[in-house]
Amino acid sequence: MPGTTPVWAIPFPYIGEVISPAAFKNLADAVDAALDTVSAAGTAAANGRRYVKLSRAEGPDTIATGIDTNIVWTTQLSADDPGAWWTSGANIILPAKGLYHVSVWNGQHAGTTTVLSQMLRVAVNGVFRLGRRPYRAGAGIAESDGMSGLVYCSTAGHALTAAYRWNGTGGPAAFPDCGIEVTQLVTLP
Amino acid sequence: MTVDISELLGLPYPEGDDPQATALYMQDLAYKLEDLLTAVNTATVDFNDRPCAYWQNSGDSMTGPGSVDVSWDLAAPLAYNGSQSQVGASALRPRLPEAREGLWLIGSSWPTLIPTGVVNVGTYRQLRVSASGFNGQFATLPFMGPRIAAFNGQLSAPLISDIGYESNTSTPGTPLTAMGLCLGSPGALIDPSSGSIGTIIINLANGNTSTGFTLAAGSGFLWAIWMGYGTQQIVTV
């Protein structure tokens, strides 16, 4: 009756036992299985930062001053999200409880007379978590802007959305081109 | 009976023709493989199991002008994974969730500010956040300063008119909306062998001369997450 190691159950014969070819096979199989487990964990560590990167082009839809409007994404630039975090629309479905890194940015918009400020905000499950509101001091257009930060998702399946708003006169503004990247940093139990 | 070992990994193999050497060899080999697999697996799990924390502010208030170190609800973090207890830590200065060497991603977002009086638009322009870094080894590391300085001038009258107040005053008790601030990705290497415990401080200053603010609980977040082992002593962002 061979012995086994306590963690990985690698079999070995005791001294005095008859060592058959099967003993070597069992050893090989056990090492193979253990390496398979370690390899899978290593791959997860190296490639575990699942992400999605989306964009949308400027207009033709328009947005009036002082209105938070969710950005509707139209193009997937790249992704490593086997769970299909996004297929269409404004919602990015977060696959698990945990922390996510978010970068979101917007381009210039047109169609306004003056712009006092512009704002980007990121919400998870409808609750705003990150935001940025640059002051434009009455400029004619909203400039390109962006931000990044971490958001927390408490439940798998919550939707992450980003909203854009401008304040000023004139308009409605052509909805600016926008982009977003969401990367899963850690999954929590 | 002789068993020798390989040069690189120290794997045993039988030497000579002693018939018992094979059994001993296999036993030694099994345990050596056990140790190697455990070491590799531990390192992998260590990397996947990232210490992290995500706190929300616990509802400070501030007068104007003045500043306040933002306090954090350490007892009820939204997310926490680490061995470092926050029991006994100052709510103003949370500890890193784990005293682990490496690169830490630390940042904060603005809380929602609720005016406690009439906001004078003309003087509402010195709102800022700063962080003093870590106690101990990096006690005075101002790793967020320059980014904040660039942000100061962006908060003035339109901040008020943005939310519907076209006059120079706002109504007490009305949230000024959640203002997020991109603090970038500052990081610092923590050396647990030094005995230092990293703490994080976020300071919010109010330059308004006529009113104070309440920081709405449930808004404004502070995060710290271990990103991996570094290869340098100090990372400059």
Side-chain angles (χ1 to χ4, degrees), chain A residues 37-124:
Chain A
T37 299
V38 172
S39 177
T43 300
N47 301 328
R49 308 287 86 83
R50 304 296 187 189
Y51 76 98
V52 66
K53 187 174 181 180
L54 310 172
S55 71
R56 57 147 293 150
E58 182 179 5
D61 46 332
T62 58
I63 176 174
T65 180
I67 297 175
D68 280 313
T69 303
N70 279 345
I71 302 168
V72 176
W73 308 107
T74 58
T75 305
Q76 180 173 287
L77 300 176
S78 63
D80 180 2
D81 59 335
W85 297 8
W86 176 85
T87 52
S88 65
N91 290 350
I92 298 171
I93 305 302
L94 302 179
K97 178 181 178 181
L99 296 178
Y100 295 80
H101 182 268
V102 180
S103 289
V104 60
W105 61 96
N106 67 269
Q108 292 180 340
H109 71 219
T112 53
T113 305
T114 61
V115 174
L116 294 174
S117 70
Q118 59 192 84
M119 182 161 67
L120 273 174
R121 287 199 288 180
V122 172
V124 176

Side-chain angles (χ1 to χ4, degrees), chain A residues 5-8 12 15 19 31 34-35 38 41-42 45 49 117 121 129 131-133 135 150 152 165 167 188, chain B residues 20 23 26 31 33-34 37-38 40 44 48 50 54 78-79 109 151 154 156 158 162 177 179-181 221 223:
Chain A
T5 60
V7 178
W8 299 96
F12 56 85
I15 293 175
I19 302 172
V31 171
L35 285 174
V38 172
R49 308 287 86 83
S117 70
R121 287 199 288 180
R129 297 299 192 186
R132 177 172 159 83
R133 191 206 305 244
Y135 168 45
L150 263 61
Y152 168 67
R165 188 167 88 173
N167 282 80
L188 296 167
Chain B
Q20 296 193 52
M26 290 188 71
Y31 274 94
L33 288 170
E34 170 103 339
L37 287 164
T38 298
V40 172
T44 302
N48 280 333
R50 297 183 178 204
Y54 199 86
L78 296 181
S109 63
F151 192 81
Q154 296 173 347
S156 59
D162 269 352
T177 197
M179 289 294 296
L181 175 62
F221 303 96
W223 56 79

Side-chain angles (χ1 to χ4, degrees), chain B:
Chain B
M1 179 173 61
T2 305
V3 173
D4 209 339
I5 59 173
S6 62
E7 288 186 13
L8 185 60
L9 295 178
L11 298 176
Y13 59 90
E15 192 175 68
D17 57 358
D18 188 322
Q20 296 193 52
T22 303
L24 184 58
Y25 149 71
M26 290 188 71
Q27 183 171 345
D28 286 353
L29 178 62
Y31 274 94
K32 185 62 181 176
L33 288 170
E34 170 103 339
D35 291 344
L36 289 171
L37 287 164
T38 298
V40 172
N41 192 59
T42 299
T44 302
V45 170
D46 196 36
F47 195 83
N48 280 333
D49 185 28
R50 297 183 178 204
C52 63
Y54 199 86
W55 294 284
Q56 59 185 339
N57 98 76
S58 50
D60 300 283
S61 60
M62 59 191 301
T63 57
S67 65
V68 62
D69 284 347
V70 179
S71 62
W72 307 96
D73 189 353
L74 303 186
L78 296 181
Y80 200 84
N81 181 33
S83 60
Q84 187 96 304
S85 171
Q86 299 291 332
V87 176
S90 164
L92 308 179
R93 292 163 173 77
R95 298 167 180 151
L96 288 175
E98 193 159 310
R100 181 185 291 189
E101 185 178 3
L103 185 66
W104 287 83
L105 175 65
I106 298 168
S108 175
S109 63
W110 282 81
T112 294
L113 300 175
I114 303 173
T116 53
V118 176
V119 174
N120 185 327
V121 175
T123 60
Y124 184 62
R125 60 175 63 247
Q126 294 179 31
L127 195 62
R128 69 178 183 272
V129 173
S130 62
S132 63
F134 300 95
N135 286 339
Q137 188 173 2
F138 300 104
T140 59
L141 186 66
F143 58 86
M144 295 178 186
R147 296 174 188 272
I148 308 307
F151 192 81
N152 283 347
Q154 296 173 347
L155 292 175
S156 59
L159 172 69
I160 307 304
S161 59
D162 269 352
I163 54 174
Y165 302 111
E166 301 301 336
S167 66
N168 281 349
T169 60
S170 68
T171 303
T174 302
L176 290 177
T177 197
M179 289 294 296
L181 175 62
C182 168
L183 289 181
S185 302
L189 285 173
I190 303 302
D191 179 8
S193 65
S194 71
S196 64
I197 300 174
T199 59
I200 311 156
I201 305 168
I202 301 296
N203 178 265
L204 192 62
N206 172 23
N208 193 297
T209 57
S210 56
T211 192
F213 295 92
T214 297
L215 281 58
S219 69
F221 303 96
L222 171 66
W223 56 79
I225 180 170
W226 183 78
M227 297 299 287
Y229 293 107
T231 57
Q232 307 173 60
Q233 288 302 307
I234 297 175
V235 175
T236 302
V237 178

